[in-house]
Amino acid sequence: MTAGVVLAHGAFHGPWCWERVQAHLEAEGLAVHASDLCRPTTAEDIAAFQADVNEMRARMGSDATVIAVGHSLGGLSISGLDPATVDHLVYLAAILPGDESDKADPPDVAEAVIAENFFPALEHGEDGYSSVKSGAAGDLFYHDCTAEDIAWAESQLRPQPLGQAPYSFPRAAWRDVESTYIVCADDRTLTADFQQICAGLVANSIVMEGSHSPMLAQPEAVAAVITEIAGQ
């Protein structure tokens, strides 16, 4: 039986950023859903993502493999899942949150963000939402993408309520669900040190050359990792 994949985008992004990866996965016969997550709180995003995972599980059947993939801030969404509803978690240059268990935690996310690149690239609204300044996203997220792709991606970015993170978990799902961490070696948003520590805390890890956004720059490579996990 084929596997189901549910995708969680990162801050400022939307389901559109997964279009190329989704096309590759569907070509391999996997069922795919890209969630739309940009709610005022992390808890609301997790609830919406859980609903999408539940729907995929119902669609595929109890014997199918369901994989949740989180990019960047989407790591919080996949970490809040009920472990009984998902078979594998994939963290793509993502936040791996700590929790209230007595196990080893990754570093605090506030220390993991490359402040000299990230925070000056943002502008903050009075409504609690932040936006990426015009022209800043290319260097921050997409420096190995084409100029056309950068322009396309920048045109679709939206404000994000960054005050929702970090988020405290009683027990993060990655403690109980087999997980894979994909380190992006030339990431200009999350430090390589942070990602390597996260990779060392989960069962499987892969190093991928390139920027913070391989789902745009090298979607076939991202899809290949997911397809292998699915056993297709």
Side-chain angles (χ1 to χ4, degrees):
M1 184 176 292
T2 189
V5 181
V6 189
L7 305 164
H9 61 80
F12 312 108
H13 290 68
W16 57 266
C17 72
W18 293 112
E19 289 177 2
R20 297 173 185 178
V21 171
Q22 183 167 352
H24 284 295
L25 294 175
E26 289 176 342
E28 293 294 331
L30 280 72
V32 186
H33 175 75
S35 297
D36 192 0
L37 307 168
C38 192
R39 290 164 180 78
T41 69
T42 297
E44 290 173 284
D45 273 348
I46 290 172
F49 192 70
Q50 180 70 71
D52 289 342
V53 169
N54 292 346
E55 184 175 338
M56 180 64 75
R57 173 63 74 189
R59 171 184 171 188
M60 303 305 299
S62 59
D63 293 334
T65 297
V66 174
I67 301 166
V69 183
H71 173 247
S72 198
L73 190 66
L76 296 182
S77 296
I78 70 174
S79 295
L81 290 173
D82 176 355
T85 63
V86 65
D87 299 292
H88 203 112
L89 305 175
V90 179
Y91 291 82
L92 177 60
I95 295 171
L96 188 78
D99 58 21
E100 298 169 9
S101 68
D102 58 359
K103 307 291 186 179
D105 275 336
D108 187 272
V109 66
E111 300 174 4
V113 173
I114 303 176
E116 63 269 24
N117 287 344
F118 188 73
F119 294 112
L122 305 183
E123 49 191 13
H124 308 287
E126 295 181 359
D127 59 357
Y129 281 67
S130 299
S131 301
V132 180
K133 293 177 181 177
S134 178
D139 180 66
L140 194 63
F141 302 136
Y142 318 119
H143 67 266
D144 57 349
C145 294
T146 67
E148 292 77 14
D149 284 347
I150 292 172
W152 172 72
E154 281 194 304
S155 72
Q156 300 189 77
L157 296 179
R158 59 185 173 182
Q160 177 77 30
L162 286 184
Q164 64 173 299
Y167 183 82
S168 177
F169 294 81
R171 187 175 177 88
W174 61 267
R175 303 282 192 194
D176 302 304
V177 180
E178 184 174 4
S179 300
T180 296
Y181 197 101
I182 303 176
V183 177
C184 290
D186 195 23
D187 196 321
R188 297 180 183 177
T189 300
L190 293 179
T191 66
D193 286 347
F194 171 74
Q195 293 187 49
Q196 290 287 359
I197 292 171
C198 292
L201 291 172
V202 300
N204 313 288
S205 63
I206 296 166
V207 177
M208 188 174 292
E209 300 299 327
S211 71
H212 188 61
S213 302
M215 65 283 187
L216 295 181
Q218 41 186 331
E220 188 171 0
V222 175
V225 173
I226 300 169
T227 301
E228 183 174 358
I229 291 169
Q232 296 297 104

